[in-house]
């Protein structure tokens, strides 16, 4: 199960673009909390705190404890709106979670023992075709990542979604293609050596 990360938030009553701009000038990020059969609530969080937490990969696949004006709520992050050219977060969406109610999440894929993979030792290269996976699970079963041991993969081997051993209580989201490629090991072709001043395939002119 993923770890719990704590964040502080404050409620706000004024919406609209003007109010959002004022919050951003104060170093705050406007956001919303919704779900679990409770009315949505407009909130703001400190930009610096949010960016600091975003440095952790697990932040995006963890249960967050959102302290909203002294009241704790269990949430997951569902959407981030970023500035297209600057390192700023413009808006954040949180979804409340409830015990016994499944959640849809996107979690990262971690490839274990890449350097020790049989095919890599023989000169192959491990290609990552998929780096995250959409899953469905109860909150208590939410994994921080899907870990795949690739030590046994040989040159030419292909790993598909259907080959993954998901943690207990975790299933694929209905929109995931089970035949989608996750990783493969390909042989790296050695490049022919070219002498200085010589081009491959060029004809030499005799003087």
């Amino acid at each position: 199960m993923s770890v719990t990360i704590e964040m502080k938030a404050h409620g706000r009553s004024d919406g609209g673009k003007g109010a959002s701009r004022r919050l951003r000038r104060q170093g705050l990020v406007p956001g919303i909390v919704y779900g679990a059969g409770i009315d949505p609530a407009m909130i703001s969080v400190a930009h610096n705190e949010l960016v600091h937490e975003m440095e952790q990969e697990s932040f995006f696949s963890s249960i967050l404890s959102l302290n909203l004006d002294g009241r704790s709520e269990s949430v997951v992050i569902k959407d981030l709106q970023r500035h297209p050219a600057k390192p700023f977060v413009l808006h954040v969406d949180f979804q409340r979670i409830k015990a016994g109610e499944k959640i849809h999440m996107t979690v990262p894929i971690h490839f274990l023992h890449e350097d020790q993979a049989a095919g890599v030792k023989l000169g192959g290269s491990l290609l990552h075709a998929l780096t995250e996976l959409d899953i469905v699970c109860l909150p208590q079963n939410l994994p921080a990542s899907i870990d795949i041991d690739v030590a046994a993969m040989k040159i030419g081997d292909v790993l598909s979604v259907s080959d993954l051993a998901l943690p207990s209580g975790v299933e694929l989201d209905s929109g995931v293609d089970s035949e989608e490629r996750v990783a493969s090991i390909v042989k790296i072709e050695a490049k022919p050596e070219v002498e200085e001043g010589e081009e491959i395939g060029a004809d030499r002119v005799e003087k």
Side-chain angles (χ1 to χ4, degrees):
M1 179 181 173
S2 58
V3 297
T4 299
I5 297 174
E6 295 185 356
M7 286 201 66
K8 292 181 180 179
H10 296 284
R12 59 189 176 96
S13 57
D14 51 345
K17 294 182 178 179
S20 294
R21 283 195 293 267
R22 287 192 294 273
L23 286 172
R24 295 181 190 117
R25 285 196 293 268
Q26 299 171 34
L28 300 173
V29 180
I32 190 170
V33 185
Y34 64 90
I38 304 173
D39 291 339
M42 294 191 300
I43 64 168
S44 65
V45 297
H47 187 273
N48 289 345
E49 181 183 351
L50 179 60
V51 170
H52 174 72
E53 297 296 352
M54 287 169 54
E55 293 175 355
Q56 306 179 64
E57 182 187 53
S58 59
F59 175 70
F60 298 93
S61 56
S62 293
I63 304 297
L64 311 178
S65 178
L66 189 68
N67 187 320
L68 180 54
D69 294 327
R71 186 182 72 257
S72 181
E73 294 189 279
S74 294
V75 302
V76 291
I77 190 164
K78 293 303 291 185
D79 190 44
L80 277 175
Q81 181 184 351
R82 305 171 191 258
H83 192 283
K86 300 178 182 179
F88 298 135
V89 178
L90 301 178
H91 195 276
V92 59
D93 289 0
F94 295 101
Q95 180 185 341
R96 300 183 184 96
I97 62 172
K98 186 167 60 174
E101 189 173 285
K102 290 185 176 181
I103 53 176
H104 295 250
M105 294 292 292
T106 300
V107 297
I109 296 174
H110 289 172
F111 298 92
L112 308 180
H113 308 123
E114 289 191 49
D115 295 340
Q116 302 171 31
V120 172
K121 287 183 177 180
L122 293 176
S125 177
L126 180 69
L127 303 182
H128 301 169
L130 203 63
T131 58
E132 57 186 23
L133 193 65
D134 294 333
I135 63 168
V136 180
C137 65
L138 292 172
Q140 64 268 26
N141 294 328
L142 177 62
S145 62
I146 302 297
D147 298 334
I148 306 171
D149 191 338
V150 297
M153 289 186 68
K154 303 182 291 294
I155 292 177
D157 283 354
V158 175
L159 189 69
S160 300
V161 170
S162 58
D163 299 318
L164 302 182
L166 299 178
S168 177
V170 176
E171 57 192 55
L172 294 175
D173 188 277
S174 60
V176 176
D177 181 1
S178 62
E179 297 308 313
E180 186 172 1
R181 178 176 296 193
V182 176
S184 59
I185 293 188
V186 299
K187 185 177 181 180
I188 301 177
E189 299 292 343
K191 294 182 180 179
E193 294 184 3
V194 180
E195 294 183 5
E196 186 176 352
E198 180 183 359
E199 294 184 8
I200 298 176
D203 293 330
R204 295 186 179 182
V205 179
E206 297 287 346
K207 291 185 178 180

